[in-house]
Amino acid sequence: MSLVFDIPANKMPSIDDVSGRSASTMNAAVRDSLERETDEATALARLQEISVLILRQAIDLVEKSLTSDEQLTVQSKFMPGSTIGKHLRHARDHFMLLLNTQSTPAPRVLNYDVRSRNTPMESGRQAARDAILDAIAEVEKVVPNAKMEEPITLHAITPYPQVMETTFGRELWFAGLHAIHHWSMVRVIAGELDIRLEDSFGFAPSTLVYNSKGFKGLMEKSKI
């Protein structure tokens, strides 16, 4: 038995109606895609700006606050084995290890435990300045061509071997936060050595946002 449905001619969708709806749906999808790309580009640009700002704090430390190479190697009384030079090198390493993943083919792998030690930047102000400037240049070269959601496989020792999935954007955010954590320890050692640092050095972005005056001053200084 066959079923026959009578549909009034004026209720039948025309080819133009179907084509119009398809075009409208396609245009909406294109707009959504462009908006996502714009949002991603904006988010990544902001992460780049903050990353450079954080690294420039280390440049200011080396150029304006430290007065001798020896200050980079003095061991802390409160954190045995810890020195200003080691903290600078360690924080820079995280940025460089992440940025280096973008020069390798997918699937990209990141391991923060693979890093150099006893490098010239740990004991010399000029070497420290040059190494950090190199890191800033690399951030400015690599980040604009990267993708926020670029997948990366992270290997870590916790102390058990761990493998987890992450993204370039998430790790760039982490590299900045990690550096601030080490700048705060640099502040402790600087205090032991009676070295005066700028007020915002070693404070997390959330703290600077809470103290809006400090955050505004830091951002304005980065544009000088």
Side-chain angles (χ1 to χ4, degrees):
M1 181 177 68
S2 61
L3 298 178
V4 178
F5 296 93
D6 291 329
I7 301 176
N10 62 352
K11 298 296 184 181
M12 289 289 290
S14 69
I15 293 177
D16 288 342
D17 289 338
V18 174
S19 298
R21 284 199 293 271
S22 297
S24 178
T25 301
M26 185 179 297
N27 288 338
V30 170
R31 283 197 302 272
D32 289 344
S33 177
L34 290 174
E35 287 174 1
R36 283 195 299 272
E37 288 180 5
T38 300
D39 290 344
E40 179 177 308
T42 299
L44 208 50
R46 287 173 177 168
L47 282 175
Q48 175 183 329
E49 179 183 9
I50 295 301
S51 297
V52 170
L53 178 61
I54 291 168
L55 288 168
R56 286 200 181 280
Q57 285 189 308
I59 295 293
D60 287 345
L61 167 74
V62 172
E63 290 183 340
K64 301 175 182 178
S65 299
L66 301 185
T67 57
S68 72
D69 289 344
E70 288 70 24
Q71 290 171 324
L72 285 167
T73 60
V74 174
Q75 293 198 14
S76 170
K77 299 175 184 176
F78 303 116
M79 298 176 287
S82 183
T83 70
I84 290 176
K86 288 180 181 179
H87 285 295
L88 293 180
R89 187 267 305 157
H90 177 74
R92 174 191 178 273
D93 278 353
H94 274 55
F95 278 103
M96 296 304 295
L97 288 166
L98 171 62
L99 297 170
N100 288 342
T101 65
Q102 298 304 292
S103 63
T104 62
R108 295 185 167 93
V109 176
L110 174 61
N111 187 341
Y112 290 122
D113 297 312
V114 179
R115 52 182 181 262
S116 303
R117 301 178 192 276
N118 300 316
T119 61
M121 72 171 293
E122 295 178 41
S123 57
R125 286 174 295 163
Q126 186 61 50
R129 178 182 180 277
D130 292 345
I132 296 166
L133 284 175
D134 285 346
I136 291 173
E138 199 67 12
V139 167
E140 294 175 334
K141 181 181 77 173
V142 172
V143 175
N145 298 308
K147 292 186 180 298
M148 188 79 169
E149 298 301 322
E150 174 73 37
I152 293 176
T153 300
L154 177 66
H155 290 245
I157 304 296
T158 65
Y160 303 104
Q162 302 280 355
V163 179
M164 59 200 84
E165 297 306 311
T166 184
T167 64
F168 179 82
R170 191 270 173 202
E171 294 307 312
L172 185 58
W173 166 81
F174 168 71
L177 199 63
H178 173 261
I180 291 171
H181 165 69
H182 282 276
W183 291 181
S184 68
M185 287 186 276
V186 167
R187 176 175 282 279
V188 172
I189 302 173
E192 295 180 50
L193 300 175
D194 293 322
I195 299 171
R196 181 175 177 80
L197 304 180
E198 65 174 31
D199 293 341
S200 62
F201 190 93
F203 285 93
S206 57
T207 303
L208 296 177
V209 169
Y210 180 77
N211 179 10
S212 59
K213 182 179 179 181
F215 181 73
K216 182 179 179 181
L218 185 63
M219 295 302 290
E220 288 176 347
K221 182 176 180 181
S222 71
K223 297 175 183 178
I224 296 175

